Amino acid sequence: MRWMMLAALISSSVAYADPNPQIDRLWRAKCASCHGPDGKGQTEQGKKMAVGDMSTAEWQGALADDKIKAAISDGLKRQKNGVAQEMEAYKAKLRPDQIDGLVAYVRGLKK
């Protein structure tokens, strides 16, 4: 029983360390132009909109999975610290499993 629990823990860690290639391509196609390939937001557009660094423990701890999923599904349009932040809604363009995969991808960006 202990071995099964350890195997489950290891396999969940591997899922983050080695993302699904399809989700990785999706991230690069839809998200990386603002969030960067590493989620740090250090792209031209990410800096312009003051995108947060998704790889930090602080950012990761501030948002539950359902909030990340809602942002991907419904998009964002807000002012944060005097900066306009806008993100396209993807619920009409992506399947639910793809959105869930992106949530897992974001979680895997944590340092």
Side-chain angles (χ1 to χ4, degrees), residues 44-109:
E44 183 178 335
Q45 191 64 21
K47 290 176 184 178
K48 180 180 171 185
M49 291 191 299
V51 171
D53 183 347
M54 297 176 159
S55 70
T56 66
E58 179 184 4
W59 190 96
Q60 292 278 332
L63 293 170
D65 287 0
D66 64 328
K67 296 290 185 186
I68 298 169
K69 186 174 183 173
I72 296 167
S73 297
D74 303 327
L76 290 172
K77 188 171 185 171
R78 66 182 181 191
Q79 290 282 325
K80 186 173 181 182
N81 300 324
V83 177
Q85 294 182 324
E86 291 189 39
M87 187 173 103
E88 182 178 356
Y90 286 102
K91 68 181 165 194
K93 297 177 180 183
L94 299 176
R95 297 184 316 265
D97 65 300
Q98 291 175 310
I99 292 173
D100 291 340
L102 287 172
V103 172
Y105 190 95
V106 167
R107 290 299 185 203
L109 296 170

Side-chain angles (χ1 to χ4, degrees), residues 32-37 40-48 51:
S33 63
C34 294
H35 296 287
K40 293 180 184 278
Q42 295 302 303
T43 64
E44 183 178 335
Q45 191 64 21
K47 290 176 184 178
K48 180 180 171 185
V51 171

